[in-house]
Amino acid sequence: MTAARKTWGRRLLTSLRLTSLRLRLVLVFALIALIAAVSASGIAYWLNREAVLTRTQDAALGDFKEAMQDRVASLPRQPTKDELDRAARNMAHGSQGYSVVLIGENPDGRTVVGTSELDAFTRDDVPASLRKAVEKPAAEKGEKSGGSEGSGEESYRLFWQRKVEDGTPYLVGGTRVMGGGPTGYMLKSLEPEAKDLNSLAWSLGIATALALVGAALLAQAAATTVLKPVHRLGVAARRLGEGKLDTRLRVSGTDELAELSRTFNSTAASLEKKVADMSAREESSRRFVADMSHELRTPLTAITAVTEVLEEEEDSLDPMIAPAVRLVVSETRRLNDLVENLMEVTRFDAGTARLVLDDVDIADQITACIDARAWLDAVELDAERGIMARLDPRRLDVILANLIGNALKHGGSPVRVSVREEGTDLVISVRDQGPGIPEEVLPHVFDRFYKASASRPRSEGSGLGLSIALENAHIHGGEITAANSPGGGAVFTLRLPSGEGDGDGGPGGSADDGDTEQQAKKADR
């Protein structure tokens, strides 16, 4: 289950990465829509809230003011409690539905309170700040609590304030009949208006959510419209990178994406033409080298036979002629090796080199390579018998001959050859006792015809030996690396797979073993 979750998580992350531009577009559209919708909804809510509350407040305060003028003004200046209760109930029975408290003084000079509803609204429920504002003398009423309204004749000054109790909003208003008349307070619940405003808020919230969803859908549609051509362009570019140079995009429209598709098609066509021209030139060059090498083999065979005869008769030649004969023999051999190397390189380039696999005892193979070239006294072998690998013996011999011969020629003896197994890989190291390879030369030691070295004498070889050894390692699925040993000297490491391979060899056509037999006899950088 854990592995399944991890796999699902990786797929999700991959999907998110693949559609990151789409997600960014959708998020930007959604964010813009959210900001616009929230701003519009907030402004609409605030305007409606003020309109609703102001309308309800003005209606309630206006009705309360008229009731005070009509009913309280007709009361005696020193009313009784019953008179105040009756007046409060009459005022509360109006259309606005508020509770009333009336406060006055009886003939005995004591404060009497009349209420429209017993215990529903009392004097103690009136905010102290509002009572203070209402009870101030007229000359001091410069400060107001919540707000005030004048009648124009200064007979009444109406004060109001909003408060919230137990989550329910209320409007509290108060006024006093000037000249010693009763003081009146009203309490109106704003719960219906609050419910209306809550409904409005929910409606605006739903509208905002719908706008957000709509914006996301529009963004998805826009992103699909924009990104579909981009996706096709990405697929086409990927196919082009894989070597499918005939890839083209279908162009429709006249917008920027269509122009981009046209540019891609033009670029792909130009690239296809250039690659075709380069391939044709490369093929022509390969054919030239192969044809030249084949044409040179016939005269070289004759020349080699003559030089072998001259070499055998060297002791009987005139001392003045003998050096020239030795030079001809040496250069003929070099030319013969060069032709063989060129033919081998041509096979690798054409992909016709092929493996002939066999089960090989590595220690025996290395010993046979060293013994065939009379290197037994100059090479130390560290290899256990019985290490088997399925390889092409002839091509392995070419690799070993080049590496060991190169070490003897440029590094000096003794050369140490060690063999070890690392998992399914076979690792063969060839280390010499020379000064090592300069750091600036290391990247080029396997380049074709590269022979120059700051610390080693100029090679007399063709400069193809190590590159051929590397190609033979590659055809096995292996690798050769060059480095300098911390203890001094250069180290060439051959790494080959030791598992079972195809019995008929690697890719390409069949190779003529006789054509490359000389590769197993020469070691040449």
Side-chain angles (χ1 to χ4, degrees):
M1 181 63 72
T2 302
R5 288 198 192 99
K6 290 181 178 179
T7 302
W8 181 85
R10 283 195 295 269
R11 289 178 179 173
L12 178 60
L13 290 176
T14 302
S15 175
L16 289 177
R17 283 197 296 270
L18 290 175
T19 59
S20 58
L21 182 58
R22 184 188 303 273
L23 286 178
R24 288 199 295 270
L25 285 173
V26 172
L27 289 176
V28 169
F29 270 80
L31 183 61
I32 293 174
L34 180 63
I35 293 173
V38 169
S39 300
S41 299
I43 294 172
Y45 178 79
W46 181 78
L47 292 176
N48 280 275
R49 177 179 180 277
E50 289 302 313
V52 169
L53 293 179
T54 300
R55 184 172 61 251
T56 302
Q57 172 182 295
D58 290 347
L61 293 176
D63 184 81
F64 177 66
K65 181 178 178 181
E66 290 179 2
M68 287 289 293
Q69 291 174 343
D70 295 341
R71 301 183 184 280
V72 178
S74 62
L75 293 176
R77 294 182 60 84
Q78 295 177 328
T80 63
K81 184 177 185 335
D82 291 338
E83 291 173 336
L84 291 178
D85 285 339
R86 185 166 50 253
R89 285 193 295 271
N90 290 334
M91 292 173 64
H93 290 160
S95 61
Q96 295 300 316
Y98 48 75
S99 301
V100 178
V101 172
L102 297 177
I103 304 172
E105 291 184 358
N106 63 9
D108 297 333
R110 291 182 299 175
T111 300
V112 292
V113 179
T115 61
S116 60
E117 299 177 34
L118 186 62
D119 297 332
F121 177 49
T122 64
R123 183 183 181 186
D124 294 335
D125 295 326
V126 180
S129 59
L130 183 62
R131 290 202 310 268
K132 182 178 179 182
V134 172
E135 292 172 0
K136 274 185 180 181
E140 299 178 7
K141 289 181 180 178
E143 297 179 0
K144 306 167 189 142
S145 177
S148 69
E149 294 181 358
S151 65
E153 300 176 353
E154 297 299 331
S155 298
Y156 298 94
R157 294 185 62 84
L158 184 61
F159 295 85
W160 58 268
Q161 181 176 331
R162 296 174 190 162
K163 70 172 186 175
V164 178
E165 287 186 3
D166 299 328
T168 303
Y170 292 94
L171 172 65
V172 183
T175 186
R176 181 178 184 182
V177 178
M178 297 302 175
T183 300
Y185 295 99
M186 56 84 69
L187 175 70
K188 177 174 176 57
S189 173
L190 299 177
E191 185 175 7
E193 287 73 18
K195 289 181 178 180
D196 292 341
L197 291 174
N198 287 336
S199 299
L200 176 63
W202 273 105
S203 300
L204 292 175
I206 293 173
T208 300
L210 292 176
L212 183 61
V213 172
L217 293 177
L218 289 175
Q220 175 70 13
T224 300
T225 302
V226 174
L227 295 181
K228 191 173 182 179
V230 175
H231 175 69
R232 287 200 300 264
L233 180 62
V235 172
R238 196 156 49 244
R239 288 171 57 85
L240 197 66
E242 294 171 354
K244 300 174 182 177
L245 302 181
D246 59 342
T247 301
R248 298 293 185 272
L249 288 172
R250 181 172 54 85
V251 180
S252 60
T254 59
D255 57 8
E256 290 80 359
L257 291 174
E259 184 62 29
L260 180 61
S261 298
R262 292 189 186 93
T263 303
F264 175 86
N265 289 342
S266 175
T267 303
S270 177
L271 180 62
E272 184 179 20
K273 183 177 182 303
K274 289 182 179 180
V275 170
D277 293 343
M278 290 177 61
S279 299
R281 286 195 295 269
E282 183 180 358
E283 180 63 26
S284 177
S285 299
R286 251 196 320 265
R287 282 199 307 269
F288 172 77
V289 173
D291 294 343
M292 180 189 67
S293 301
H294 278 287
E295 291 298 327
L296 287 174
R297 291 185 74 185
T298 300
L300 274 177
T301 301
I303 294 173
T304 301
V306 173
T307 56
E308 288 177 354
V309 172
L310 291 175
E311 188 177 21
E312 291 175 358
E313 300 295 333
E314 181 181 355
D315 294 339
S316 61
L317 294 176
D318 189 319
M320 297 295 293
I321 301 176
V325 171
R326 286 194 295 270
L327 179 60
V328 170
V329 171
S330 174
E331 292 304 314
T332 300
R333 286 175 178 169
R334 286 189 59 197
L335 183 58
N336 193 63
D337 294 342
L338 176 60
V339 171
E340 296 295 339
N341 286 338
L342 287 174
M343 293 185 68
E344 184 73 355
V345 167
T346 302
R347 292 189 187 93
F348 283 121
D349 289 344
T352 58
R354 195 177 176 93
L355 296 177
V356 180
L357 299 177
D358 195 6
D359 292 326
V360 177
D361 187 305
I362 300 302
D364 290 344
Q365 183 70 24
I366 298 176
T367 302
C369 176
I370 296 171
D371 185 52
R373 293 159 182 82
W375 291 339
L376 288 175
D377 295 336
V379 178
E380 297 177 355
L381 178 59
D382 178 15
E384 296 181 3
R385 293 188 178 277
I387 299 179
M388 304 296 294
R390 188 164 180 79
L391 304 167
D392 186 327
R394 182 185 63 78
R395 294 190 183 277
L396 178 60
D397 187 73
V398 171
I399 298 172
L400 294 173
N402 276 287
L403 295 182
I404 298 173
N406 202 65
L408 289 171
K409 184 184 299 184
H410 301 290
S413 59
V415 172
R416 183 175 179 83
V417 181
S418 60
V419 181
R420 67 182 186 276
E421 290 182 294
E422 292 184 359
T424 60
D425 290 344
L426 172 69
V427 180
I428 302 175
S429 299
V430 178
R431 175 182 173 184
D432 62 37
Q433 302 298 319
I437 305 173
E439 293 297 327
E440 65 274 12
V441 175
L442 273 175
H444 305 287
V445 293
F446 294 105
D447 293 352
R448 294 176 182 178
F449 299 107
Y450 188 85
K451 298 186 291 184
S453 174
S455 62
R456 296 180 178 180
R458 182 177 177 84
S459 171
E460 297 180 356
S462 64
L464 292 172
L466 286 180
S467 65
I468 291 175
L470 182 62
E471 294 290 352
N472 278 305
H474 286 169
I475 201 173
H476 280 90
E479 186 62 71
I480 302 177
T481 57
N484 288 314
S485 173
V491 180
F492 285 83
T493 303
L494 169 65
R495 184 181 294 270
L496 298 173
S498 59
E500 290 293 325
D502 295 332
D504 294 334
S510 61
D512 183 359
D513 290 352
D515 288 340
T516 56
E517 187 64 30
Q518 294 296 326
Q519 299 301 324
K521 299 180 180 178
K522 300 295 178 182
D524 183 12
R525 171 167 289 182

